[in-house]
Amino acid sequence: MTQPDALAAARLYLCTDARKRQGDFEDFVDAAFEGGVDIIQLRDKTLEAAEELEILAVLRSVAQRHGKLWAVNDRADVASISGAPVFHIGQKDLPLTAARTLLPNVTGIGLSTHTPEQIDAALATAQGPLGLDYFCVGPVWATPTKPGRAAVGTGLVTYAAEAQKRADHEVTLPWFAIGGIDHNNVEEVVAAGAGRIVVVRAITEATDPTAAAKSLLQALDAV
């Protein structure tokens, strides 16, 4: 499966830190991929570039073994050096046009969105060859991983679903709901129109990451 096809088919996206406290990064990401996670993004602001590259090498090895995708957050230089197939930016991070000049054309780039206007802008970029490859909508609920970021609720998820339907049917831009999504509320997000989700604690805090991933995918299968 090519990278664009793998990204389009992805439904379960996991963000994790380097798990320094647990000391089990390789085993953890292996278990998450085994459970059906499609993309794992390393997001750890405590890491210096050299250390991040070392951990990304581990993530890359495990992802390739499973035939899955992996992602770098925020740092285009790290994404380029590591050969990451996916790169993610926020609204206040490196602009998309700048990221495209630094990364290979095959790199999939995603963007966080928090408002209807930002969703519309993200969908509009799908019309060009230098545009986005996916976007995220949220945070649906408040989450400690994004302190100070106001929750947008499931209403914005529904807006994204309807906006995608209104967009040019020849260009489909995958999107993920994100923010506070877990086993207790994933069905609400699905009901609001999401077919893809990004999670953190629902898997990183699970005693069995493989089982946690499988359970989330079962909820998505109910779409």
Side-chain angles (χ1 to χ4, degrees):
M1 186 181 294
T2 65
Q3 185 266 28
D5 289 340
L7 187 54
R11 295 183 299 159
L12 185 54
Y13 191 145
L14 169 65
C15 292
T16 180
D17 63 12
R19 297 182 70 85
K20 291 181 180 180
R21 180 175 59 83
Q22 298 92 335
D24 64 351
F25 183 79
E26 182 171 3
D27 289 341
F28 169 76
V29 295
D30 183 70
F33 279 133
E34 184 65 28
V37 170
D38 299 294
I39 309 172
I40 295 182
Q41 178 191 127
L42 176 62
R43 186 171 68 192
D44 193 326
K45 299 295 186 180
T46 69
L47 299 175
E48 298 292 342
E51 186 178 15
E52 184 171 1
L53 287 168
E54 290 179 0
I55 298 170
L56 286 170
V58 175
L59 177 56
R60 176 178 185 167
S61 177
V62 178
Q64 289 179 336
R65 188 164 67 244
H66 285 271
K68 298 296 183 70
L69 296 173
W70 55 283
V72 168
N73 180 60
D74 188 26
R75 295 283 302 269
D77 56 341
V78 171
S80 178
I81 294 170
S82 65
V86 180
F87 177 61
H88 190 84
I89 51 177
Q91 289 289 326
K92 296 182 179 180
D93 293 332
L94 188 71
L96 174 61
T97 52
R100 282 294 180 202
T101 65
L102 296 172
L103 296 170
N105 292 336
V106 294
T107 304
I109 298 182
L111 175 71
S112 298
T113 65
H114 318 294
T115 67
E117 294 76 16
Q118 290 172 0
I119 290 172
D120 291 341
L123 287 168
T125 69
Q127 304 298 327
L130 301 180
L132 290 170
D133 296 282
Y134 75 93
F135 64 97
C136 294
V137 176
V140 181
W141 289 285
T143 169
T145 61
K146 289 292 182 181
R149 175 76 68 184
V152 300
T154 56
L156 194 64
V157 174
T158 299
Y159 180 89
E162 294 175 347
Q164 177 73 86
K165 292 177 182 177
R166 293 194 301 269
D168 187 342
H169 291 295
E170 294 182 359
V171 181
T172 300
L173 191 61
W175 62 275
F176 298 78
I178 186 174
I181 300 171
D182 58 27
H183 298 85
N184 296 318
N185 57 32
V186 62
E187 292 181 357
E188 293 181 52
V189 181
V190 171
R196 303 176 178 88
I197 58 173
V198 181
V199 299
V200 183
R201 292 172 297 156
I203 296 179
T204 62
E205 295 183 0
T207 56
D208 186 339
T210 299
K214 288 181 177 179
S215 176
L216 291 166
L217 282 170
Q218 287 176 353
L220 292 177
D221 285 339
V223 175

